[in-house]
Amino acid sequence: MGRAEFVALMAMTMALQALAIDAMLPALGEIARDLHVTDPNRRQLVVGVFLISAGFGALIPGALADRYGRRPVLLGSLILYVALSAACALAPTFNALLVLRAVQAVGSAGLAVLPSAIIRDRHEGDAMARLMSTISMVFMLIPMLAPTLGQAVQLFAGWRWIFGILGVMGTGIAIWVLLRLPETLRPEYRQEIMPLSIVRNMVQAAVNRQAFG
């Protein structure tokens, strides 16, 4: 895989979670009306629940990827993203939508975590920093474009099809990963999942002044 294709794949993989947040913004009012939500503040939970759940979910895929490899965990995250996008599109009630959004955020957290690990597997030093910067610049365009995408879909097909489009995009990227991205974690670097060590490392990061900053 060449540099341009690698940058595009990693940026689009990371962008899926951003799309799941920002593409919803123009449709919050319609979602609330369609699912009979009378309190205007509750409609914000469609975004808030996803953000909070994604934060907790980000603690999980790193350890799995260190044990089983980047590729299977990334593909698993993409499959969950697609399946739960379809489930959200069919949600019968607002509470069901919130539960599905929470599960989707946790299940697809690897989309935000694993690209950085894959980049570190392939590059180091200045080359890694330059590549991360390039991918970040591409990724930063997505939150600006996502509300426009959501608004366009809403105008022509309704809010449920926003989730449908997310599912289609996730499927496309899953096929891309399946066909083009090799496993980047060398077998000798695979690690057992040791919860106590993970917790200890998290505590060390939390009390380190540079990491905390």
Side-chain angles (χ1 to χ4, degrees):
M1 181 182 290
R3 177 185 172 86
E5 183 183 2
F6 182 68
V7 167
L9 178 56
M10 292 297 99
M12 289 305 300
T13 300
M14 294 171 64
L16 284 176
Q17 275 206 323
L19 283 167
I21 297 167
D22 297 312
M24 296 297 113
L25 297 177
L28 293 181
E30 184 180 345
I31 292 172
R33 288 191 298 271
D34 193 35
L35 298 180
H36 312 294
V37 177
T38 56
D39 183 354
N41 287 323
R42 288 198 69 212
R43 63 187 183 182
Q44 302 170 32
L45 292 173
V46 174
V47 173
V49 164
F50 190 97
L51 283 169
I52 294 171
S53 301
F56 285 107
L59 302 175
I60 301 170
L64 294 176
D66 286 343
R67 176 66 182 89
Y68 301 107
R70 317 303 191 199
R71 195 167 180 268
V73 179
L74 181 58
L75 284 169
S77 293
L78 286 164
I79 290 169
L80 288 172
Y81 183 89
V82 171
L84 287 159
S85 292
C88 288
L90 301 172
T93 66
F94 188 74
N95 287 338
L97 177 62
L98 295 183
V99 171
L100 290 169
R101 288 281 283 173
V103 177
Q104 182 185 34
V106 173
S108 64
L111 303 181
V113 173
L114 293 180
S116 298
I118 292 170
I119 293 165
R120 286 197 300 271
D121 290 341
R122 291 174 54 124
H123 302 277
E124 60 183 15
D126 291 344
M128 182 187 73
R130 285 194 298 270
L131 193 61
M132 282 296 297
S133 297
T134 303
I135 291 172
S136 297
M137 285 191 294
V138 176
F139 168 75
M140 285 171 64
L141 295 173
I142 302 302
M144 293 187 285
L145 299 176
T148 303
L149 173 65
Q151 184 69 63
V153 174
Q154 181 187 357
L155 287 174
F156 290 100
W159 67 268
R160 293 182 185 273
W161 274 101
I162 297 177
F163 290 106
I165 294 296
L166 295 180
V168 170
M169 296 180 67
T171 300
I173 293 174
I175 294 172
W176 193 357
V177 169
L178 185 64
L179 296 178
R180 297 289 294 155
L181 183 70
E183 177 56 59
T184 60
L185 181 64
R186 291 164 59 179
E188 62 268 27
Y189 291 160
R190 299 198 178 199
Q191 303 176 32
E192 296 293 332
I193 297 176
M194 296 179 287
L196 291 179
S197 295
I198 293 172
V199 171
R200 184 163 55 248
N201 291 338
M202 288 180 178
V203 171
Q204 288 178 357
V207 299
N208 180 280
R209 292 182 65 183
Q210 289 181 320
F212 185 83

